[in-house]
Amino acid sequence: MRVFSLLCAALALVTAPLAAQVALPRVQLPQVGPVVGETLDTLDETRAGVQRTVERLARDRLRTIDRLVRRNADAIEYDAAGAPARRGELLVMDVSADTLAPALEAGFTLLSREEVEGLDISLMRLGVPEGMDLAEAQAALALLLPQAQVSADNLHFQSGTANGAVLAISAQGSAGSAAPVGMIDGAPGPAVKVTETRGFAAGAPFPSHHGSSVASLLAHAGAGTIRVADVYGTDKAGGNALAMAKGLGWLVARGSKVVTISLVGPRNAVLERAIGAAQRKGVVVVAAVGNDGPAAPPAYPASYDGVVAVTAVDGKRRALIEAGRALHLDYAAPGADIYGRNAKGRRIGLRGTSFATPLVAARLARALAQGRNWRAALDAEAVDLGRKGHDDTYGRGLVCGGCTGR
């Protein structure tokens, strides 16, 4: 009876996930300054157009996620916060297997015990009771195990696309002049040379256009030792938090001093703990703010404490209108009018904050290898754009500005 009452109470806590995200807030727009001869009416029209674009990006984000969940309903569903996650599984920390009895009595099953290599993190995967959706189960389990940290295995999405741009990234350093860099993404193709790749998803490592592009930018910007944790493979629920945490642990154990993540998703307790553990070991995590526009929710992992959050500009040093946001912003770098290599080794045009992030990571790794304070080194290089000093559009300034072409 007690278990039944707890489950009923949990069901009452669950809200409609997608509907809760539909309201579009008014946001601080990217800076749009007047040009010579521009009237106030014209400036108002420009700002109105930007606002419409921002709102369209937010709606497009919701439609894309909804399509993904509906098309892959066998592998993905919404969690209690309305974010997509692996279907039928929950992650539990801070509780031992001996204390799972209330959950097991309620129909949850212990799927596996997991250890995150290199980060001293233990957790358990629990299967959801038959007939209960993930959001209901998440709320129920939190009541059944109040001492535990319960999380869905949330999905994270790559934050960049290919287009027709043809400008080139120029190499900015030698292969031996940077600290080892780790990368969490899809695997690069064989034409993009990296030091080591390991898979953390079904079918991984599997060549990815996005992963290939990020790895090629790292190499061009001066990163030498590059290790890649493929968290996608061919898994419909790839890019999940557990895979990312395990990938991060492996990269740390293999000696990566900088880890670049061009993926975005919701806040997740497992990944947040993994990133905190990596930071305590001296690893710097660099992450993209995403491409869902400034009306999107704050992007993670970019928004976690201490993560270097990166946005993007185009070849004219204008902020990308689709750039997302984080709870803090550190630097901007080129993310449009640049190119990288796809999984087949072909040059492709790129656009997105995904591709600014490895440029910052490579610069940071070079500073570490030189024994410099990386923050001071990046600040010394950063070109102040927009409002004087740190701002919400460009952060502390543009890094790797010379990486936009040759």
Side-chain angles (χ1 to χ4, degrees):
M1 180 61 71
R2 174 178 176 273
V3 170
F4 178 76
S5 298
L6 285 171
L7 292 179
C8 288
L11 295 179
L13 295 175
V14 178
T15 57
L18 188 61
Q21 302 178 64
V22 170
L24 298 176
R26 297 291 295 183
V27 299
Q28 181 176 347
L29 300 176
Q31 296 169 9
V32 180
V35 297
V36 175
E38 184 175 38
T39 67
L40 289 177
D41 286 344
T42 301
L43 182 57
D44 286 343
E45 290 176 5
T46 301
R47 291 186 179 278
V50 171
Q51 179 65 39
R52 287 193 294 270
T53 300
V54 167
E55 293 175 354
R56 177 183 57 77
L57 286 166
R59 287 191 293 268
D60 288 348
R61 168 185 172 272
L62 295 181
R63 292 191 191 102
T64 299
I65 292 174
D66 194 45
R67 283 196 298 268
L68 175 75
V69 173
R70 285 189 285 105
R71 291 174 180 175
N72 299 281
D74 59 327
I76 304 171
E77 62 180 317
Y78 289 111
D79 72 358
R86 184 180 290 281
R87 172 171 288 279
E89 295 185 17
L90 290 169
L91 307 178
V92 180
M93 298 185 294
D94 304 331
V95 65
S96 68
D98 295 337
T99 59
L100 287 180
L104 299 179
E105 291 173 8
F108 289 89
T109 56
L110 177 59
L111 299 176
S112 66
R113 297 172 182 165
E114 303 286 344
E115 299 289 332
V116 179
E117 176 186 9
L119 298 180
D120 302 319
I121 295 175
S122 300
L123 56 91
M124 289 177 286
R125 291 171 53 241
L126 297 188
V128 168
E130 186 175 353
M132 185 181 294
D133 67 33
L134 188 65
E136 296 167 346
Q138 190 174 353
L141 194 58
L143 292 174
L144 291 165
L145 302 175
Q147 73 277 30
Q149 178 69 65
V150 177
S151 172
D153 197 2
N154 294 114
L155 307 190
H156 295 70
F157 302 98
Q158 296 165 329
S159 53
T161 58
N163 61 23
V166 294
L167 297 184
I169 290 292
S170 57
Q172 298 293 325
S174 64
S177 63
V181 178
M183 175 184 134
I184 297 177
D185 208 295
V192 180
K193 302 303 181 184
V194 297
T195 306
E196 190 175 8
T197 301
R198 181 172 168 181
F200 294 88
F206 186 84
S208 153
H209 292 319
H210 189 271
S212 299
S213 297
V214 172
S216 68
L217 292 177
L218 273 175
H220 276 295
T225 300
I226 302 171
R227 290 186 171 88
V228 181
D230 180 358
V231 297
Y232 287 102
T234 57
D235 192 344
K236 291 181 180 179
N240 57 77
L242 181 57
M244 292 176 67
K246 287 185 170 183
L248 178 60
W250 173 72
L251 291 170
V252 172
R254 295 294 287 158
S256 298
K257 300 302 180 184
V258 179
V259 175
T260 185
I261 308 176
S262 291
L263 316 177
V264 296
R267 188 167 193 166
N268 180 275
V270 172
L271 184 56
E272 183 171 10
R273 186 168 299 188
I275 286 176
Q279 291 169 332
R280 288 190 291 275
K281 292 179 178 289
V283 175
V284 183
V285 178
V286 186
V289 300
N291 303 317
D292 294 319
Y300 291 90
S303 289
Y304 294 130
D305 288 346
V307 172
V308 180
V310 179
T311 190
V313 300
D314 65 15
K316 295 182 179 180
R317 298 188 172 183
R318 299 172 299 193
L320 299 192
I321 184 63
E322 70 269 29
R325 64 188 181 97
L327 296 181
H328 62 273
L329 180 61
D330 291 282
Y331 298 102
D337 303 318
I338 60 175
Y339 82 87
R341 300 286 172 178
N342 69 9
K344 295 182 179 180
R346 290 181 52 219
R347 180 189 304 187
I348 57 171
L350 305 171
R351 183 181 177 98
T353 60
S354 274
F355 310 117
T357 303
L359 303 181
V360 174
R363 281 292 205 263
L364 202 156
R366 187 175 67 173
L368 289 178
Q370 295 170 348
R372 302 171 66 191
N373 177 291
W374 65 262
R375 176 71 77 183
L378 265 61
D379 284 352
E381 176 187 353
V383 177
D384 192 10
L385 301 175
R387 191 172 63 247
K388 184 175 177 58
H390 183 279
D391 62 60
D392 294 334
T393 302
Y394 303 100
R396 302 163 77 94
L398 174 65
V399 171
C400 210
C403 297
T404 54
R406 63 184 179 194

